[in-house]
Amino acid sequence: MHDDLLARSRAWLAEDPDPETRDELAKLIDTGDVEELAARFSGTLQFGTAGLRGELGAGPMRMNRTVVIRAAAGLAAYLKKQGHTDGLVVIGYDARHKSEDFARDTAAVMTGAGLRAAVLPRPLPTPVLAYAIRHLGAAAGVEVTASHNPPRDNGYKVYLGDGSQIVPPADADIAAEIDAVRSLHDVPRPESGWETLDDSVLDAYLARTDAVLAADSPRTARTVYTAMHGVGKDVLLAAFERAGFPTPALVAEQAEPDPDFPTVAFPNPEEPGAMDLAFAKARETSPDLIIANDPDADRCAVAVPDGADWRMLRGDEVGSLLAAHLVGRGAQGTFAESIVSSSLLGRIAEKAGLPYEETLTGFKWIARVDGLRYGYEEALGYCVDPEGVRDKDGITAALLITELASVLKAEGRTLLDLLDDLAVEHGLHATDQLSVRVQDLSVIADAMRQLREQPPTELAGLAITRAEDLTRGTDTLPPTDGLRYTLEGARVIVRPSGTEPKLKCYLEVVVPVGTHADLPAARAKAADLLAAIKQDLSTAAGI
């Protein structure tokens, strides 16, 4: 085994085009670090519906130029088999370590395969790439990003020509083509021949952002903005300036791209501590709301003044606010969300007489809903202009929530007031998440197995009226690894994360509310129920 491992490591070393990862691997071979080599050569990073994502480093279980070149060659072969013999592939990238290298390698591979390649001019938000695919009539798009993962990660997201991310069976077909790549020496990589785009695509995207706002709406809400060390700042500021909103006050320490994300443990607005600097800036400047993007600016987080301090709105709260705002503006079309998001969206759509659909987790599914007008997911993702960007877009979502805050401000009201109104109208929909990050992935598999073999019959004293194993699929959903429990006045979904080593449990309770005066009691009841469900679920899953 030891000799085989060394042989595979040396074969990889001989092909690796990157001096950095070559040095790294050569040192591991020279020092005979079998444990570390085994970790890197225990398999290959799997190309799935999120594309590729993993830690940077040498070897097939890490993100590196060799893995990316193989992925690009597999994608090129797939596109040619689909009849795109000289199709255009447009490539975007964020500001993480190696992102620009991976984008350039992808352009070289596409060019070498006889396809046309165009690379965005610099690190830009993921939604700009998603927009560019349809704007330029491309056969496919690639975004090099690990979104809000830790600094040591990078990733590779693939979109097809409809502008939405790949879903089965395309992922498996592309994976098969990647596996068929014998050697890197068989992959032509010319030094030039692709196009580097100018700012005209970005200008076209920005011109489209105006369309998400009502022509005559108030634009008075004042914001504090953090880019979370990512690529959102310049595009968001340009969009806000075009719209005529007050210039956002920037969280200076997080405004510029920095692949090391020095001020945050995880560059995700949902993680504890990530918003601390934004809250500090808000206490200085007293804005109407705080807006945060994640590092590739496809997500949007919102915080609001609550009494004497600030509080983050949950993704479900922002999702419902945007839905209510669009309904108020007379939006027509289908409202859609993933199954892990709050059922309040369905109530809002039903009352407005609009079609509503639930999908599996991820915008790759939400974006495919027929006649989509608005889609959201609780993980801070909102699609408010599906004709422009068939994916989540943290820039246009920021514009729309700031417009709503401006409309309410003109009425002497706030986003929290509107949330109260929605609770009185539809019942208080309170959501929470039990999220367990693991070092060892077997912990997740064990928890899922335990829940399947010994399913709970009640949680927080509420009887489970229906238990579904989503691996079998349902009438409306394709199969996925997940469990869904319906309780009297509550719902729980348990699933392994598709992008991180986490087990995620999504909880929702619905408490009827008579009048605004009943809200404090309803909130207290919901909080108690959520805490008890969390506790009982942890016990049932053995986590």
Side-chain angles (χ1 to χ4, degrees), residues 61 75 103 116 179 201 232 285 302 320 330 344 387 425 442 482 498-499 511 526 531:
M61 285 299 287
L75 175 59
R116 291 175 297 129
D179 290 344
V201 169
T285 56
V302 180
S320 304
L344 178 54
E387 286 308 301
E425 190 174 353
S442 69
T499 53
V511 180

Side-chain angles (χ1 to χ4, degrees), residues 182-436:
R182 312 279 348 138
S183 157
L184 279 209
H185 304 305
D186 304 336
V187 180
R189 299 201 311 282
E191 293 293 312
S192 62
W194 57 89
E195 182 185 1
T196 300
L197 295 164
D198 60 15
D199 273 356
S200 57
V201 169
L202 175 61
D203 293 343
Y205 167 83
L206 282 167
R208 219 185 132 109
T209 61
D210 302 354
V212 307
L213 303 175
D216 50 357
S217 60
R219 310 276 166 97
T220 56
R222 292 172 46 252
T223 53
V224 158
Y225 172 71
T226 174
M228 207 66 59
H229 300 296
V231 299
K233 181 197 69 168
D234 292 348
V235 178
L236 182 124
L237 289 180
F240 269 57
E241 187 179 350
R242 289 181 68 104
F245 286 115
T247 305
L250 298 178
V251 178
E253 303 92 327
Q254 299 175 333
E256 298 304 326
D258 186 333
D260 293 318
F261 305 105
T263 67
V264 287
F266 289 94
N268 177 356
E270 293 178 295
E271 293 280 349
M275 296 290 287
D276 288 357
L277 289 168
F279 290 154
K281 184 74 179 178
R283 288 180 198 116
E284 275 169 42
T285 56
S286 304
D288 298 297
L289 69 166
I290 300 173
I291 300 278
N293 284 140
D294 67 338
D296 68 328
D298 61 352
R299 293 164 197 249
C300 173
V302 180
V304 291
D306 187 10
D309 209 1
W310 285 81
R311 101 165 163 90
M312 283 283 290
L313 294 180
R314 303 188 71 85
D316 284 318
E317 292 176 311
V318 176
S320 304
L321 287 168
L322 291 175
H325 183 40
L326 289 169
V327 165
R329 282 187 14 195
Q332 292 297 309
T334 303
F335 279 30
E337 64 181 340
S338 62
I339 55 171
V340 298
S341 306
S342 168
S343 58
L344 178 54
L345 184 69
R347 307 264 173 106
I348 292 170
E350 185 184 9
K351 179 137 194 206
L354 295 173
Y356 162 77
E357 270 193 50
E358 270 191 326
T359 71
L360 291 185
T361 311
F363 267 81
K364 56 185 180 278
W365 298 108
I366 295 170
R368 288 188 150 66
V369 166
D370 275 349
L372 181 69
R373 174 59 188 88
Y374 169 65
Y376 97 89
E377 181 149 77
E378 57 71 48
L380 310 183
Y382 314 95
C383 173
V384 301
D385 175 26
E387 286 308 301
V389 175
R390 286 202 181 163
D391 198 8
K392 53 187 179 291
D393 181 345
I395 306 293
T396 48
L399 286 171
L400 199 61
I401 197 75
T402 309
E403 177 185 59
L404 173 57
S406 301
V407 170
L408 292 165
K409 188 178 181 178
E411 299 167 357
R413 283 154 45 80
T414 67
L415 294 172
L416 292 181
D417 292 329
L418 180 52
L419 282 173
D420 286 352
D421 293 351
L422 290 171
V424 172
E425 190 174 353
H426 302 287
L428 176 68
H429 289 62
T431 55
D432 201 358
Q433 204 185 100
L434 171 63
S435 183
V436 185

